[in-house]
Amino acid sequence: MTSARVPAGGAVGQGASSEVREEARGAPPELQSTPGSRSRPHRKPAAPFKEPRYLHAVVIALSCLPFVWGALALASDVFRGTNYLTAEPVTEIEHYTGKWILRFLALTLSITPAIAITRLGWLIRYRRTFGLFAFSYACVHFLLYLTLDLELYFSEIWEDISERAYITIGFTALVLLIPLVVTSTKAAIRRMGAKRWKALHRLVYVSSVLGIIHFWMSVKRDLTSPILFSLLFATLLGWRAVRAMRARSA
Amino acid sequence: MIIRSKSSSDIPSSEITPESVYLNRRNFLKEAGLLGASTAGLLAGLPGCARGEEPGQDQDLKAELTSYEDATSYNNYYEFGTDKEDPKANAQNFKTKPWSVKVEGLVNKPATYQLEDFVKPHKLEERIYRHRCVEAWSMVIPWLGFPMADLIRRVEPTGSAKYIEFTTLLDPKQMPGQRIPILDWPYVEGLRLDEAMHPLTMFVVGMYGKTLPNQNGAPLRHVVPWKYGFKGCKSIVRIRFTDKEPRTAWNVAAPNEYGFYANVNPTVDHPRWSQARERVIGKIRRRETQMFNGYADQVASLYAGMDLRKLY
């Protein structure tokens, strides 16, 4: 095990426990949460919890799991006659992927508040990761709807998208994510300038709200799940609203 | 509503039977190597099958039977939960004995029957019907029951009776779904009297040659094969004859989405989805939905001159 790289600010403000902390940094990720390794960031902002080396890869792998499970379950239900996705697997896989879109959107929206609270700046890369996963699941969701649900009946597809409000809303939510994906690179941020880039990426709020409305409208009667998701998004967007108001009055 | 005596909580053997039957059947399907999505339905070698002269006895449907497992583990019965797997999970201890059914309203012979007396005078027959849910999925189910018309003649509705109303048991203790105001409990359904008298309409006490499983509406439900599934009232405790259109549960809950008639009609869409095609449970591909669910020859005349777009 090589010794830890100590970040520039690492030595500042450390008390007697600095040795313990340095040791812990060099340890594998699962040991880093031992007492003493995690300083309280709001008191000691200069000694933040470092990003575990393989965390990003692990997060990406975990984020693929719902897709893998869904694909295997669907294949099994279709070809082997199992009922992993109920007796109506096509409908179920649509609901399943739809909920994962919302979960990844919520994760995306939770990164900024998480950074503000924990001051762990390295979390920022996960915003893009989760955002791209949200879009990926949205594409899968839409493609499943086109192929397995509408079975590529093009007359029906256009009728659905243009005339059924909940499909129109869901489709709009997906389309609004496209410019965000296209400009998700660092080069795009440089090209556009941070201000314009930020303004454009506020579209994710619109897309999220449309996604939630789409969810509400797709439910027949039991609104438990839409209500819970709505509360989650209300919290995430509400936090931003409060922050913006404070910034304005300050 | 009836008053139920709180006797022992023992599960009568009749409630256990369907489960063992189901397990045996599953083993049989497994052994035959045919537990597959498209083939499971082929195997329904049914004991005591009625022959096909009866109305609605389409022999072709026999080859399309939904598997017993799917038909008894995937359905809507909101009294036992809103997920389609909930009814089977939550209805196993539902008490269907003793059971009484009250017949009241505009009839010459109002009475409260014990279920046995309600059913006894009638000859049970099997009818294989298409079952089309308003959510655009469908099954083919062999029901066991008797024509509703036979009972109606028995209780003699008065001349002013125009409609018949059915009510499900209200018992939140046994029916956890009723503790949540998802619908205006108890569930109420209704038919025009001529629809109820139609030879296709039946009271049902069994399916697949067995006693009706609790999750499918035991001990007594009705089935109207040319209407969306929600028109069939489950666990019926009251039958009322009336001169006014009954206020049916889904129509009260969302009148723009669910009408009183609810005839299967591929040309009139649900506001949020198309009714043109349906997903057959056990198959992946959709198929075209038929007018009146394929029973147009027999029932279209009931609606002559009506605007089915308005009276959906």
Side-chain angles (χ1 to χ4, degrees), chain A residues 59 63 104 107-108 111 126-135:
Chain A
V59 164
S63 300
F104 278 107
L107 281 169
T108 310
I111 295 295
Y126 292 87
R127 192 172 66 179
R128 176 169 63 189
T129 308
F130 289 136
L132 291 176
F133 269 107
F135 180 72

Side-chain angles (χ1 to χ4, degrees), chain A residues 74 77-78 80-92 94 148-151 153 156 159-160 163-167 216-223, chain B residues 35-37 69-70 73-74 76 78 82 84-85 133-137 182-183 250 253-254 258 269-274 276-277 279 281-282 284-286 288:
Chain A
L74 184 64
D77 285 4
V78 170
R80 294 175 56 227
T82 52
N83 270 357
Y84 290 115
L85 296 165
T86 77
E88 217 182 344
V90 173
T91 308
E92 184 64 18
E94 284 175 345
L148 293 181
D149 200 333
L150 292 184
E151 297 174 349
Y153 277 60
E156 261 183 54
E159 192 192 308
D160 253 17
E163 287 175 21
R164 276 183 235 291
Y166 102 92
I167 301 286
W216 274 87
M217 293 180 78
S218 72
V219 169
K220 192 178 173 192
R221 198 76 198 151
D222 183 359
L223 295 171
Chain B
L35 197 69
E69 188 194 346
D70 283 349
S73 64
Y74 189 82
N76 284 314
Y78 275 27
T82 55
K84 291 190 187 60
E85 276 111 350
C133 180
V134 73
E135 298 168 350
W137 53 265
I182 280 171
L183 292 170
W250 278 102
Y258 310 99
D269 287 341
H270 186 278
R272 290 182 286 147
W273 58 82
S274 166
R277 293 182 302 131
R279 197 174 304 289
I281 296 299
I284 294 301
R285 295 296 305 274
R286 284 185 186 272
E288 309 265 317

Side-chain angles (χ1 to χ4, degrees), chain A residues 150-193:
Chain A
L150 292 184
E151 297 174 349
L152 301 172
Y153 277 60
F154 283 100
S155 53
E156 261 183 54
I157 290 169
W158 184 242
E159 192 192 308
D160 253 17
I161 291 179
S162 61
E163 287 175 21
R164 276 183 235 291
Y166 102 92
I167 301 286
T168 315
I169 289 170
F171 184 70
T172 309
L174 170 68
V175 168
L176 289 182
L177 289 178
I178 293 173
L180 311 195
V181 172
V182 172
T183 61
S184 64
T185 59
K186 279 183 182 152
I189 302 178
R190 268 196 303 273
R191 227 179 14 252
M192 293 178 70

Side-chain angles (χ1 to χ4, degrees), chain B residues 55-56 127-131 139-141 143 200 202 223 225 295:
Chain B
R127 303 261 188 96
I128 302 176
Y129 281 162
R130 289 181 209 91
H131 181 83
M139 297 185 179
V140 176
I141 297 174
W143 300 110
L200 284 174
M202 65 191 302
V223 166
Y295 301 98

